[in-house]
Amino acid sequence: MSGLRFNAILESQKRTPLPIEEKGRRSEFFATNVFNEDKMLQYLTKDALESVRGAIDSGSKIERKIADQVAEAMKGWAISKGATHYTHWFQPLTGTTAEKHDAFFDLLPDGKALEKFGGGQLVQQEPDASSFPHGGIRNTFEARGYTAWDPTSPAFLYGTTLCIPTIFVAYTGEALDNKAPLLRALNAIDDAATAVAKYFDKNVSKVNATLGWEQEYFLIDKSLAMSRPDIVMTGRTLVGQTAAKGQQLDDHYFGVIPSRVLSFMRHLEVECTLLGIPVKTRHNEVAPNQFELAPIFEEANLAVDHNLLLMDVMEKVAEKHHLKVLFHEKPFAGINGSGKHNNWSLATNTGVNLLSPGSTPMKNLQFLTFFVNTIKAVDTYEELLRSSIASASNDHRLGANEAPPAIISIFIGKQLSSVLDELEGVSQGKLSPEEKTELKLNVVGKIPEIMLDNTDRNRTSPFAFTGNKFEMRGVGSKTNCAKPMTVLNTIVAKQLMAFKTEVDVLVDKKNLKKDEAIFNVLREYIKTSKRIRFDGDGYSLDWEKEAAKRKLSNNKNTPDAIQVLTSKESLELFKSMGVMSEVEVKARQEVELEAYIMHVQIEGRVFNELIYSYVIPSVVEYQNRLINNVRGLKEIYGASFKKQANSQLIIIEAISGHIAILKEKTDAMVEERKKANIMTDTHKKAYAYCEKVKPYFEEIRYHCDKLERLVDDQLWPLTKYRELLFVK
């Protein structure tokens, strides 16, 4: 098997950067393959265009007659660009996307052929839902599912296929995807934030949640990646001795981008630009062979779609460059994992970022209102927010090598903390003229100056304020952003609704002025949410003890983290906000537990194959060489051979010891897996895999990695870390 490794290394050394042909200035061909408003202006009637705009802006229904016009326009545009098929592009609960392609081609009764695509096919399709995760929403025989057009996310041309973003629902009406709950959450935050924003500007009629994700990833030569069964099957290295050089010299971060990688990035950016994905930033990340890509902020629903599309495009482009993209949160032990930081804010239709201070005390009071309410929402629902980033793969990353810990806390910096401390001292009820002046001029009024000099950064904070947005850093690189964005927008919407109710009561029944009422309510929120604010690194044992004192959750694994989904508070939250029904929430918990089980199960099976088919045979072969060497020395030196063969005998004994433990632990792991597999209760099964099966992984790895250090490099069958991470 070592021949496969060395052939892969030789193959990787032959690679050269692919030449990339730019298509001109990117501003000129941006969104060329997107059926956006510019294209609609060309292809739609005025009535049809206004109807689509209404659906996008206010969610109004598109009539069938208009849908037929839009479908005809889409078809004409797509075919003019070489399209042959169309698909409803949706986001099932697998975490990725799905599509079923249908040809525009059809036959008339007289046998003549034509291209056909009508409003009915645009608005709704009926893909088979039988093999998608559903969490018990439907019975086995109820295979029907429906996809419905989402006009807020424009259709796009991908290859020769017109892709139409859609939601995916069961025959019984419940959402079977990640997009439908996200759209409902975005509608909730729009209503709640608009109502509060009107305190400060009556012209605000809509608030959009915005998202700017940062996609981290590893790039490995395809031949090297394919030589590792664990990378192929699980997306990460289950075993592997740490390379002598890792990231300790900090020489990769923001360094010169390797030529092959730069060629890949340029190719990727061209494809993204054509698809309307506004990519802007690229750079080396901290770990060797780790990189990052980030776009310009967009409306959250579109940003989620673009991130999912990007991940698919990345894999296809990488294939052409003989590279393999690793999106796993922790593909290599001992170095940084990959996240997908979600930068979130709120923007009004009047062009104002509600999390950015302004030039007047009133604008700064608006900033404080949304700033403090977000903190309060995260404090109230920190455990639910943690659940939104839970997965078997992200469990490996959280709390290690600069990744945020599993404890949710908020970092806002010392300067803003001091502002909140001053606001905490506001007297209850009506404010004196002196207090109003002090607050508006010396506290609220100076926020822009304070933030101008506020350069504090905290790479390990799970939820940090970074100037004009909150950055959710615990999101894993594989995660569909829709999950954390659904939770975050829902909890902030709920909190803003509660805030408005309290302010209105103080204004209407206590006769307080609006700004006095706002200060009074914010003061209480600052006091009651103080526990969630933390300026430390999140790694020290003292923080864990302190977090426990503050009664913050510390759910380190996925089965623990997602239990909160079906708590009374969570179910009531999602139901009251119209985001998910109890059935939909429970189904998602079931789906996530099943996904956790299957991921750990697959890793256990791969471990078994690695140990018995790769590691032990190679190790025994090397041990036999040593034994033959010892025999030869005995023939030469007779009874005194042990003096000359002492080192070899020590290695032989060490190998035997590691093999024995390796076999023992692998067999024990398999037995625990068998016990878990016969369990019918999903919750118990998940915990069995988490607490009984998974702990063996590190023990098996430890002895396997020790053997890698002992065995002749020419015999070791698995491509090593130094090759995976440093072959450019």
Side-chain angles (χ1 to χ4, degrees), residues 292-566:
E292 181 180 296
L293 176 150
I296 297 169
F297 282 46
E298 297 180 284
E299 184 275 325
N301 177 45
L302 182 58
V304 168
D305 283 359
H306 277 166
N307 181 250
L308 290 168
L309 178 58
L310 169 94
M311 293 169 75
D312 188 57
V313 175
M314 286 177 75
E315 290 183 332
K316 286 181 169 60
V317 172
E319 182 82 18
K320 294 177 180 178
H321 291 255
H322 303 290
L323 294 166
K324 173 72 174 174
V325 182
L326 302 184
F327 289 118
H328 194 287
E329 283 82 356
K330 196 72 172 178
F332 301 100
I335 58 175
N336 280 19
S338 296
K340 182 159 23 194
H341 298 180
N342 278 207
N343 295 279
W344 172 88
S345 192
L346 297 170
T348 69
N349 63 303
T350 58
V352 174
N353 180 347
L354 294 172
L355 287 173
S356 181
S359 56
T360 66
M362 183 55 72
K363 288 182 180 177
N364 293 330
L365 182 56
Q366 175 178 266
F367 157 72
L368 281 171
T369 295
F370 286 92
F371 179 67
V372 172
N373 271 282
T374 302
I375 293 172
K376 176 64 175 172
V378 174
D379 176 66
T380 304
Y381 296 102
E382 50 89 15
E383 192 169 12
L384 186 61
L385 199 62
R386 162 68 180 98
S387 74
S388 72
I389 60 173
S391 69
S393 51
N394 208 22
D395 282 356
H396 294 286
R397 166 180 168 260
L398 293 177
N401 299 99
E402 294 189 0
I407 304 166
I408 297 294
S409 64
I410 296 179
F411 175 86
I412 64 173
K414 293 178 181 177
Q415 289 89 342
L416 280 173
S417 287
S418 66
V419 171
L420 297 193
D421 290 342
E422 291 197 53
L423 288 174
E424 191 179 339
V426 174
S427 60
Q428 191 169 354
K430 292 188 177 181
L431 307 180
S432 67
E434 294 78 14
E435 194 169 24
K436 280 188 179 182
T437 301
E438 170 66 20
L439 282 172
K440 289 188 176 181
L441 296 182
N442 297 327
V443 180
V444 177
K446 290 187 176 179
I447 287 176
E449 298 170 32
I450 288 170
M451 292 181 64
L452 190 64
D453 296 325
N454 183 12
T455 56
D456 288 347
R457 293 300 303 269
N458 187 326
R459 293 174 61 87
T460 64
S461 173
F463 202 87
F465 185 71
T466 55
N468 59 0
K469 62 190 183 298
F470 280 99
E471 185 175 2
M472 192 173 175
R473 294 183 178 142
V475 183
S477 50
K478 280 171 60 178
T479 301
N480 182 337
C481 299
K483 289 169 60 181
M485 285 298 102
T486 296
V487 172
L488 180 58
N489 284 291
T490 301
I491 64 176
V492 175
K494 179 75 170 179
Q495 177 55 47
L496 288 171
M497 289 172 63
F499 170 78
K500 187 174 187 305
T501 299
E502 291 185 54
V503 170
D504 288 348
V505 166
L506 291 178
V507 171
D508 297 338
K509 296 185 178 179
K510 300 291 184 179
N511 295 318
L512 294 185
K513 291 184 177 180
K514 182 179 64 179
D515 54 351
E516 288 179 324
I518 290 172
F519 277 127
N520 272 261
V521 177
L522 292 182
R523 178 200 61 213
E524 293 307 312
Y525 289 171
I526 292 166
K527 287 179 180 179
T528 55
S529 63
K530 217 167 184 179
R531 65 167 190 159
I532 202 74
R533 286 158 43 198
F534 176 65
D535 291 341
D537 62 9
Y539 285 113
S540 65
L541 185 62
D542 290 344
W543 165 232
E544 290 208 9
K545 290 180 179 178
E546 177 63 22
K549 288 180 185 177
R550 299 184 187 198
K551 297 184 179 178
L552 294 171
S553 66
N554 186 11
N555 297 319
K556 295 184 178 181
N557 60 65
T558 294
D560 281 344
I562 63 177
Q563 290 304 310
V564 71
L565 280 174
T566 49

Side-chain angles (χ1 to χ4, degrees), residues 94-120:
T94 56
T96 57
T97 60
E99 53 199 64
K100 181 187 76 170
H101 296 194
D102 284 301
F104 289 119
F105 177 83
D106 206 347
L107 289 176
L108 293 172
D110 61 4
K112 291 182 179 179
L114 80 165
E115 279 77 28
K116 185 179 178 182
F117 181 60

Side-chain angles (χ1 to χ4, degrees), residues 60-108:
S60 60
K61 189 175 181 180
I62 296 177
E63 296 178 3
R64 176 58 184 268
K65 178 182 175 183
I66 298 297
D68 285 336
Q69 288 186 40
V70 176
E72 186 63 31
M74 275 189 188
K75 182 192 75 174
W77 170 77
I79 290 175
S80 73
K81 295 184 68 64
T84 58
H85 290 70
Y86 64 91
T87 183
H88 274 199
W89 187 75
F90 58 102
Q91 304 172 25
L93 298 177
T94 56
T96 57
T97 60
E99 53 199 64
K100 181 187 76 170
H101 296 194
D102 284 301
F104 289 119
F105 177 83
D106 206 347
L107 289 176
L108 293 172

